[in-house]
Amino acid sequence: FGEIPTVVVVDSGISNQIPELQSWIVGRKSEVAPKYRNPEHGTFVAGLICWGAGLNPAITGIDSNPCGLFDFQVLPNDDPRKGEIELIREQEFLISLETALQEHANEFKVWNLSLSTDTVCSLDQFSEFAEELDNLQDKYQVSFVISAGNYTSLPLLDYPRSGPQLESGRITAPADSILGITVGSVSHVDYKKNGPKMHQPSAFSRHGAGPNYIIKPDLIHYGGSCSVDGTHMAGIRSLSADGTAEDMGTSFSAPLTSRVLAQIYHQITPTPSPVLARALLTHHARDPKNGERVSDGEENFLGFGLPAPVPYCLGCTPYNSTLIFEDYLRPG
């Protein structure tokens, strides 16, 4: 498995009841007691990393290169319908995450964090959760891909967004991580009324800007769609313990970005720095509506756009050249 890129799925665990998926899992680590395990969410994320394109053949723009998984089960069950529940505090999560990084950061560079909190990010202060994630990314030289967060109160978010929605629909911690790559969701279907058009932000996808007006989300991908009133839903397809399932959320646009980033790390020798890998991921991102750069005024909803898959994100047309300069800026 050193021959294929791998994403660490920091989630609720990946089911061991799917033989086809089992062969793509390079390792497992669990911090959750057996009675609190519910791998439903993590399995869905893992399916998108492995077979996102194959499970969603009608959606163009999903990378189809092979990608392996490392299952890091750290999130306990939070659904009473699925068994006993347990809460995990931020500090407990961070301790478990650092323990895993100490063991595996040299081997795996892309860590998918399809998680969020209920804390709406401030415009003038970074959340403590995001600061801690940034410290870990800087210390272990890895990249966290983080979901932008979901807006769940009906009616959901219009597009263009205006009035109270601009404040209430902002990203939630830890999506304000500076070093993390925050991913929002865009619609893969076209609602003629009462919902987003194709390639517009999904009605549940939270927007920026981040603290100090940094651009957040950084990128967007397809995470399903629905009408503003929640009556019509068109999810993205992935795996469940029973076969395939359909769901929506920024939790599921993040792994489609993670797999592209893992390809970039894998294709370049020697292993690029997180800053260089991120730059290559961002450089060829485009607005899926027109294939151009995201226009001014839409960056807080689309970030820098939809990332291009390998090999397109690693090269340029024959009549162009791309120069990359990597250096350190000293404070002051």
Side-chain angles (χ1 to χ4, degrees), residues 12-271:
S12 64
I14 302 172
S15 172
N16 57 9
Q17 304 300 310
I18 306 174
E20 297 84 0
L21 191 60
Q22 192 75 15
S23 62
W24 291 92
I25 299 174
V26 304
R28 293 182 186 266
K29 177 180 176 64
S30 178
E31 298 286 340
V32 181
K35 66 178 180 179
Y36 298 121
R37 292 176 184 172
N38 173 18
E40 191 174 273
H41 189 270
T43 302
F44 200 95
V45 168
L48 289 169
I49 292 172
C50 263
W51 299 313
L55 291 165
N56 298 276
I59 304 178
T60 58
I62 299 180
D63 176 50
S64 59
N65 292 288
C67 193
L69 305 159
F70 184 91
D71 175 16
F72 179 34
Q73 185 177 45
V74 68
L75 301 180
N77 178 44
D78 61 357
D79 185 351
R81 298 170 299 175
K82 302 294 183 179
E84 291 192 54
I85 65 169
E86 185 180 44
L87 300 178
I88 182 170
R89 295 181 174 86
E90 287 178 13
Q91 204 57 40
E92 294 171 329
F93 173 82
L94 290 165
I95 291 170
S96 295
L97 181 57
E98 180 158 24
T99 300
L101 285 164
Q102 289 169 350
E103 298 173 4
H104 301 290
N106 288 336
E107 191 177 4
F108 308 125
K109 292 299 180 183
V110 181
W111 297 59
N112 187 87
L113 276 61
S114 288
L115 53 87
S116 62
T117 66
D118 296 327
T119 305
V120 176
C121 295
S122 167
L123 274 173
D124 57 10
Q125 185 176 359
F126 291 92
S127 67
E128 291 184 9
F129 197 1
E131 289 178 9
E132 292 293 338
L133 292 181
D134 283 340
N135 291 337
L136 291 175
Q137 289 174 95
D138 185 46
K139 181 177 179 180
Y140 293 100
Q141 289 296 288
V142 296
S143 297
F144 293 159
V145 180
I146 305 168
S147 52
N150 299 324
Y151 186 87
T152 57
S153 301
L154 294 176
L156 300 177
L157 302 169
D158 298 310
Y159 194 79
R161 294 172 186 171
S162 58
Q165 290 187 342
L166 289 173
E167 180 57 35
S168 61
R170 285 172 34 75
I171 57 171
T172 53
D176 52 333
S177 162
I178 294 178
L179 299 181
I181 298 166
T182 300
V183 185
S185 171
V186 287
S187 176
H188 63 291
V189 295
D190 201 346
Y191 287 97
K192 300 303 181 186
K193 59 179 181 178
N194 201 27
K197 303 292 187 289
M198 186 180 291
H199 307 316
Q200 288 184 348
S202 303
F204 53 78
S205 184
R206 289 182 170 273
H207 55 261
N212 205 26
Y213 293 94
I214 61 173
I215 292 176
K216 289 289 175 180
D218 298 282
L219 296 165
I220 41 94
H221 221 303
Y222 299 104
S225 190
C226 62
S227 58
V228 173
D229 59 10
T231 57
H232 299 283
M233 301 181 186
I236 192 166
R237 295 201 68 81
S238 188
L239 300 180
S240 72
D242 302 321
T244 60
E246 191 173 296
D247 207 344
M248 58 187 182
T250 55
S251 281
F252 311 128
S253 53
L256 295 177
T257 302
S258 291
R259 67 175 346 276
V260 179
L261 184 59
Q263 298 286 341
I264 291 173
Y265 271 109
H266 182 71
Q267 296 280 351
I268 299 176
T269 305
T271 302

Side-chain angles (χ1 to χ4, degrees), residues 275-290:
V275 172
L276 176 55
R278 179 199 188 107
L280 291 168
L281 181 71
T282 304
H283 180 62
H284 283 288
R286 294 292 186 271
D287 186 335
K289 293 193 295 292
N290 52 29

